[in-house]
Amino acid sequence: MTDEPRRVDVALGERSYPILIGRGLLDDPRCLRDSIDAREVMVVSNETVAPLYLDRLRAAFADRRLASACLPDGEQEKQLESMLPVFDTLLVNGFSRDCQVVALGGGVIGDLAGFVAATYQRGVGFVQVPTTLLAMVDSSVGGKTGVNHPRGKNMIGAFHQPRAVIADLAVLDSLPQRELRAGMAEVIKYALLGDADFLAWLEAHLDAAMARDPATLAHIVERCCRNKAAIVAADEREAGQRALLNLGHTFGHAIEAARGYGDWLHGEAIAAGMCMAARLSARLGWINARDRDRAITLIERAGLPVHAPADMGAGRFREFMARDKKNRDGALRLVLLRALGDATVTADYDPDALTATLEAEGHD
């Protein structure tokens, strides 16, 4: 018997949905069946996660039609071609518009399965079952779905909200340490962009989090989900406030795209990108050197990279940053820090300071 899960609601009117957070939720058929109520269930997972957890879903839905597609693991699979086996399975099984797609995996699976759900028969329901810290605190919430293109990260996709998010904290017990560290990058992001109290709490509790203390991780997941739910409810399609969630992402996505996806984990690239944002913010005089170092030190304590790859170069950064989705009318917009816990989206910065930051990182 599992304890009653913590619940965070994403308030989007008739498309509102719950985020359920607790240990043992994948072993609770009632929780699964209440959240996934379709008669036809399509599970999308990967070769790492499926052997661990797919049978639990099969057991919970033994009286329903359940089909599955298991993809190779890795960021390099987040592409249009990887969607085809999922569509094939849906079509071979004759799944109707009343089916639900279940994303069982990390951010790659969640984004890809969500995009399948957004486009199969012009849109079917889906449920997120995240199995990494990064997916629990960030990518599973908010309805951003899509795939990468060689010329840009997440450039093909759709907004398609899930019906529910089921975050079973017990799966984090077996998460590789590198993946745990990558997820912590997104956790730190929430603190830096708009939650100074959480930043101080993280500084005091980071060691417990990295040691996988259950109560610490439960608080982290709930706090991040509450922060993201509030932002998504206020700005679902990233017309304004939601763009703050891209702190570090313009730089980080450039690293991922330039390196070919999969060389650096998403969280690792975002960590380096947040350090670049902090350094640029300090160069502009928006934050002082002490606060810049405070942000970078926390990221470093989590075992994450604090510099971009030495071979990137300012030219490569600019090539990929020019394709960022936040850009407007040819202007490069960045998420920068006015203070720790206070971020802003702006194109109003000294371009020479950006050049200096890129050159210092890439040694170009």
Side-chain angles (χ1 to χ4, degrees), residues 316-334:
R316 290 290 276 166
F317 264 114
R318 289 190 181 279
E319 176 187 351
F320 288 99
M321 290 167 64
R323 301 169 189 152
D324 189 83
K325 296 187 295 298
K326 295 186 302 302
N327 297 344
R328 297 288 185 274
D329 299 322
L332 178 62
R333 299 202 307 161
L334 298 172

Side-chain angles (χ1 to χ4, degrees), residues 278 281-282 285-294 337-340:
S281 299
W286 296 1
I287 63 173
N288 58 39
R290 182 188 62 187
D291 284 348
R292 175 200 64 200
D293 293 345
R294 183 181 169 194
L337 297 171
R338 294 285 187 185
L340 298 187

Side-chain angles (χ1 to χ4, degrees), residues 60-305:
F61 300 112
D63 61 337
R64 304 187 195 175
R65 293 188 65 206
L66 186 146
S68 62
C70 184
L71 305 177
D73 197 1
E75 182 76 26
Q76 64 275 10
E77 297 303 320
K78 190 176 165 183
Q79 56 178 314
L80 286 169
E81 290 80 0
S82 297
M83 298 171 63
L84 296 180
V86 186
F87 287 127
D88 287 344
T89 304
L90 286 162
L91 291 165
V92 165
N93 284 274
F95 275 16
S96 69
R97 189 173 286 176
D98 295 327
C99 74
Q100 285 180 353
V101 175
V102 177
L104 176 65
V108 170
I109 289 296
D111 284 6
L112 186 146
F115 193 29
V116 167
T119 52
Y120 181 65
Q121 297 200 33
R122 298 185 177 86
V124 299
F126 87 111
V127 172
Q128 291 270 18
V129 183
T131 60
T132 65
L133 178 62
L134 189 150
M136 288 182 186
V137 301
D138 193 69
S139 62
S140 68
V141 178
K144 277 189 176 181
T145 73
V147 294
N148 300 329
H149 187 278
R151 295 184 179 275
K153 171 97 172 176
N154 292 330
M155 296 303 290
I156 304 168
F159 287 96
H160 190 59
Q161 298 293 342
R163 302 284 181 87
V165 178
I166 305 171
D168 186 344
L169 300 174
V171 308
L172 299 180
D173 295 346
S174 60
L175 190 68
Q177 192 69 10
R178 185 184 178 191
E179 293 279 359
L180 186 74
R181 291 195 298 265
M184 198 57 63
E186 294 285 3
V187 172
I188 294 170
K189 176 193 77 175
Y190 284 103
L192 291 177
L193 71 87
D195 196 340
D197 290 341
F198 187 39
L199 176 63
W201 186 92
L202 275 177
E203 289 173 320
H205 294 86
L206 183 65
D207 292 344
M210 300 312 295
R212 304 174 196 245
D213 175 68
T216 303
L217 289 176
H219 177 78
I220 282 172
V221 173
E222 182 179 9
R223 182 81 169 242
C224 292
C225 285
R226 289 196 183 281
N227 282 342
K228 183 159 190 182
I231 291 172
V232 170
D235 179 21
E236 180 181 3
R237 292 179 174 261
E238 205 170 280
Q241 180 184 1
R242 186 168 177 173
L244 294 173
L245 293 171
N246 289 304
L247 176 64
H249 284 57
T250 302
F251 301 114
H253 285 173
I255 293 170
E256 289 185 272
R259 303 288 289 198
Y261 303 117
D263 183 15
W264 282 43
L265 295 180
H266 175 68
E268 293 168 343
I270 297 314
M274 288 191 293
C275 292
M276 294 179 70
R279 292 188 185 103
L280 176 53
S281 299
R283 273 195 174 91
L284 294 167
W286 296 1
I287 63 173
N288 58 39
R290 182 188 62 187
D291 284 348
R292 175 200 64 200
D293 293 345
R294 183 181 169 194
I296 293 172
T297 295
L298 183 60
I299 291 167
E300 191 169 34
R301 281 180 58 201
L304 290 160

Side-chain angles (χ1 to χ4, degrees), residues 15-35:
R15 290 175 294 102
S16 299
Y17 57 92
I19 307 166
L20 304 177
I21 305 163
R23 291 184 67 86
L25 300 186
L26 288 177
D27 294 314
D28 183 353
R30 176 184 58 83
C31 174
L32 292 171
R33 292 169 70 89
D34 286 349
S35 300

